[in-house]
Amino acid sequence: MWYNQAVKQKMADKWQIKQAFAEKLADILIFMADKQAVTTREIVLHFGFTETTAKRYLRTLTEFGYLEAMGSNKNRRYKIISDLK
């Protein structure tokens, strides 16, 4: 899908990260696009990442300004706060 590729390329260019890493981050954002918020566990189950990997990706997206983390560590949820365009 051209839109997915555009988002992935934009992330790689903007944050100067490897394309493969940008693709995973973009896939998470695209998965979250129609959801109010998600948990780390939902990302683990959907993508098959380990919990540590999922947390790293979600933390990175939060640091980049795409997500907002809500709640304590045990009940943390993430929601999109930045447009993908």
Side-chain angles (χ1 to χ4, degrees), residues 1-82:
M1 201 179 224
W2 75 269
Y3 178 74
N4 293 356
Q5 285 306 115
V7 169
K8 292 172 185 180
Q9 188 60 52
K10 180 180 177 184
M11 288 184 79
D13 293 345
K14 181 176 181 178
W15 299 106
Q16 298 178 346
I17 57 178
K18 292 183 179 181
Q19 186 69 30
F21 186 54
E23 287 179 8
K24 289 179 177 77
L25 297 179
D27 287 342
I28 291 170
L29 290 174
I30 291 163
F31 169 73
M32 292 178 65
D34 63 343
K35 295 170 179 36
Q36 291 277 337
V38 298
T39 63
T40 302
R41 188 75 185 139
E42 289 174 280
I43 298 298
V44 167
L45 292 174
H46 183 80
F47 291 100
F49 301 145
T50 65
E51 187 171 339
T52 301
T53 298
K55 285 180 179 180
R56 183 175 68 245
Y57 292 156
L58 292 166
R59 183 177 57 248
T60 299
L61 288 167
T62 302
E63 290 170 358
F64 286 176
Y66 288 99
L67 302 181
E68 177 183 357
M70 305 171 300
S72 66
N73 285 338
K74 186 176 181 182
N75 299 313
R76 183 159 291 160
R77 296 182 64 75
Y78 296 87
K79 72 176 186 173
I80 293 180
I81 58 171
S82 179

